[in-house]
Amino acid sequence: MDPLELARWQFGITTVYHFLMVPLTIGLGVVLASMQTMWHITGHEQYLRMTKFFGKLFLINFIMGVATGLVQEFQFGMAWSEYSRFVGDVFGAPLAMEALIAFFMESVFLGIWIFGWGRVRPWIHLASLWAAAIGSMFSAYFILAANAWMQHPVGVEMVDGRPVLTDIWAVLTNNTLLVHFPHTVFGALAVAGGFLFGVAWYHLYRRRVQGIDSVDADGKVMVGTTGSKASDETDYRVWRTSFRWGGWIALVAFLGTAFSGHAQAQLMIEQQPLKMAAAEAACHDGTAFSVFSFADLRNTDGATTCDDIVGVFEIPGLLSFLAYEDFTTPVDGVNTLIPEYQEKYGTHLPDDPMYGDRAGSEIDYLPVMEVTYWGFRLMITFGGMAALAAAIGLWLGRKGTVPTNKWLMRLALVQITFSFFANSAGWIFTEMGRQPFVVAPNPDPTGIDQVWMYTAAAVSPGVSGGEILFSLIALTLIYAVLLVVELWLLARYIRGGVPAGMPELLADEDNDDEERHDKDVLAFAY
C-alpha cells in the first residue's frame, strides 16, 4: 500500500496504454494526408478509397487516444501534486502551447475534414487534413519538450527551491528534444507502415483464397473481379498500393529510428550515463556491447545488482562506437558511476517530511536493471523484426500479390504489433532508466545547478495508498474495456474492407446522387 509505488504503477499503466494510440495517430495522419494528396494529383480512385478506408480506422484510433489521454492531465494533480508544484512554472508554457495551438489544429481541422466532404472546396478539404496531421506533430513536439526538460533541465533558474522559467526558447530547442522528436516521429511512421502492410496483406490474401485473383505460370498476379465494386480491379489496386506503401514506409522508418536512436545514445552517455550503463548491464568500464546477459539470483533474494550479472555474449568495441563513434574509448560502468552520483547528489535522501517514510534513507541510484537492459533490447529486437517482416513481405509480394498460405497471413497481422511493442519498450526504458529522479540533474558544467527532483518527493502527500489503489484498479479496468472496444471496432472495419469506409460503393445505383452523397458524409463520420 505504498502510495509512491502505486502511483508509479498507475501512471505507467495508463501512460503506456495511451501511448499505444499516439504513434498510430501521428504516423497514420501523415500517410492519410499523402493518400488524399495523391488522389488530387492523379485522380485515381484507388487513392480516394484508401483515404476513406484508412480514414475510418484513423478516426477510431484518434477518438480512443483523446479519451485515454485526458486522464494523464488529472493524474498530475491527483497523485503527483508535489511534482506539479515543482515543474509547474516550466511545464505551463509547452503544455499550454500543446493545447491551444497543436490540439486546436488537430480537432478543428479534423472536424472540417470529416464533415467537409463535398461541402468545402477540394483544396481546402485537403489542406484541413494536412493541418490536422501537422497539428499532431506539433502536439508531439510540445509534449516531448516537457519530457525532454525532465531528462535534461534547461532555461530556468532556481528561486526559493523551485525552477522558474527564464528562457522558453532554450526549452523548445533543448538538444535532448531535438533528438527525441525525430526518433519518436520515425517510430510513429514505423507503426503506420506496419499497420498498412498487415491490413493490405490480409485483403490481398482474401482475394486470393476467394478466387478473385490468381497467378500465372510465372507467379505474376492475374487480377480478377466479381462484378461488384467491393471486389473490382480498383479494390485490388487499393490493397496492392497500400501493401507497397506500408512495406517501404516501415523500412525507411526503421532506418530513421536507427540513426536517430544512435544520436540519442550518444547524448544519453553525456546526460544520463548511468542509464546507458544499466541498459548494458555494464558494471565495469569497457568497450563491449552486451548482446545477452542474465542474472544469477541464487544469493540475492531476487535483486539484480552488479554482483550477480553474468555476461554470455558480447560484441567488442560496439558500445564504444555507439557512444563515441570509435571502437576503443571505454564507457564508464556502474561501479565507476555510482560513487560519482553519490558525491554529486548525496548518499541519503534529505530528512524532510516530504519524503515520508523514505526520509533519510539511502539512495539507490541504479535503475531497475532488468527493465533497462531488456527494455533496450526489446525495443531494438521488435523494431528489427518489423523491418525484417516488411522486407520479406515486399519480396514475397513482388509479383503483385501474396501467397495463399494462412500462416503467412496471420504472421503479417501479428507483425502489426511489433512496432507498437518497440515504441512501448523504448518509452519504458527511457522513463524507468531516469530513476531515482523524476527530473534528472543536468551534468553539463555549463548547465543549471541544483535542478533535480527525486521521484520519492513528487507524490501527493495527502493521498493514501488505498485511494491510489482504488483509482489504479478503476482506471485499469476502464482502459481494459476501451482496449476491447477499440480492437473490436478496428477488426470489424478492417474485415469490412473499403465499403466499411465507403458504403456508397454498395448503394443502389438508382438512388438520388445528392441524397446518397449526404448519407455518405454521415456514414463516414459515424
Side-chain angles (χ1 to χ4, degrees), residues 186 189-195 197 244-257 383 386-391 394 415 419:
F186 280 121
L189 290 172
V191 168
F195 187 76
F197 183 78
R244 292 179 62 83
W245 276 39
W248 284 110
I249 289 171
L251 288 176
V252 172
F254 172 74
L255 293 176
T257 55
L388 180 62
L394 287 172
Q415 67 80 36
S419 293

Side-chain angles (χ1 to χ4, degrees), residues 59 105-117 125 128 132:
L59 291 175
M105 285 182 63
E106 284 184 272
S107 56
V108 171
F109 287 106
L110 192 58
I112 294 173
W113 182 72
I114 293 172
F115 296 102
W117 287 94
H125 189 252
S128 68

Side-chain angles (χ1 to χ4, degrees), residues 90-110:
V90 181
F91 276 24
L95 294 186
M97 291 177 182
E98 191 275 332
L100 298 176
I101 299 175
F103 189 70
F104 178 84
M105 285 182 63
E106 284 184 272
S107 56
V108 171
F109 287 106
L110 192 58

Side-chain angles (χ1 to χ4, degrees), residues 129-256:
L129 180 55
W130 274 111
I134 293 171
S136 70
M137 293 282 192
F138 282 158
S139 181
Y141 191 88
F142 291 131
I143 291 174
L144 285 171
N147 183 270
W149 189 89
M150 294 164 60
Q151 311 285 345
H152 184 63
V154 295
V156 297
E157 64 179 25
M158 294 298 288
V159 178
D160 297 329
R162 292 179 61 250
V164 176
L165 183 65
T166 59
D167 188 353
I168 183 60
W169 184 248
V171 174
L172 296 179
T173 58
N174 190 342
N175 58 356
T176 306
L177 169 63
L178 297 181
V179 296
H180 279 196
F181 179 68
H183 193 64
T184 302
V185 170
F186 280 121
L189 290 172
V191 168
F195 187 76
L196 261 68
F197 183 78
V199 171
W201 185 300
Y202 169 74
H203 280 284
L204 288 172
Y205 166 83
R206 284 181 63 181
R207 289 179 63 94
R208 286 291 311 279
V209 298
Q210 291 172 1
I212 301 172
D213 300 331
S214 57
V215 296
D216 60 18
D218 296 326
K220 293 183 179 180
V221 66
M222 299 174 62
V223 181
T225 180
T226 62
S228 168
K229 288 185 177 181
S231 55
D232 56 10
E233 293 185 9
T234 303
D235 181 73
Y236 163 79
R237 288 194 293 272
V238 165
W239 306 122
R240 174 61 175 163
T241 305
S242 300
F243 178 84
R244 292 179 62 83
W245 276 39
W248 284 110
I249 289 171
L251 288 176
V252 172
F254 172 74
L255 293 176

Side-chain angles (χ1 to χ4, degrees), residues 406-429:
K406 181 186 294 186
W407 289 104
L408 284 178
M409 181 272 292
R410 291 175 176 174
L411 286 174
L413 292 176
V414 170
Q415 67 80 36
I416 293 176
T417 65
F418 292 168
S419 293
F420 283 99
F421 288 145
N423 275 268
S424 297
W427 268 111
I428 292 171
F429 160 69

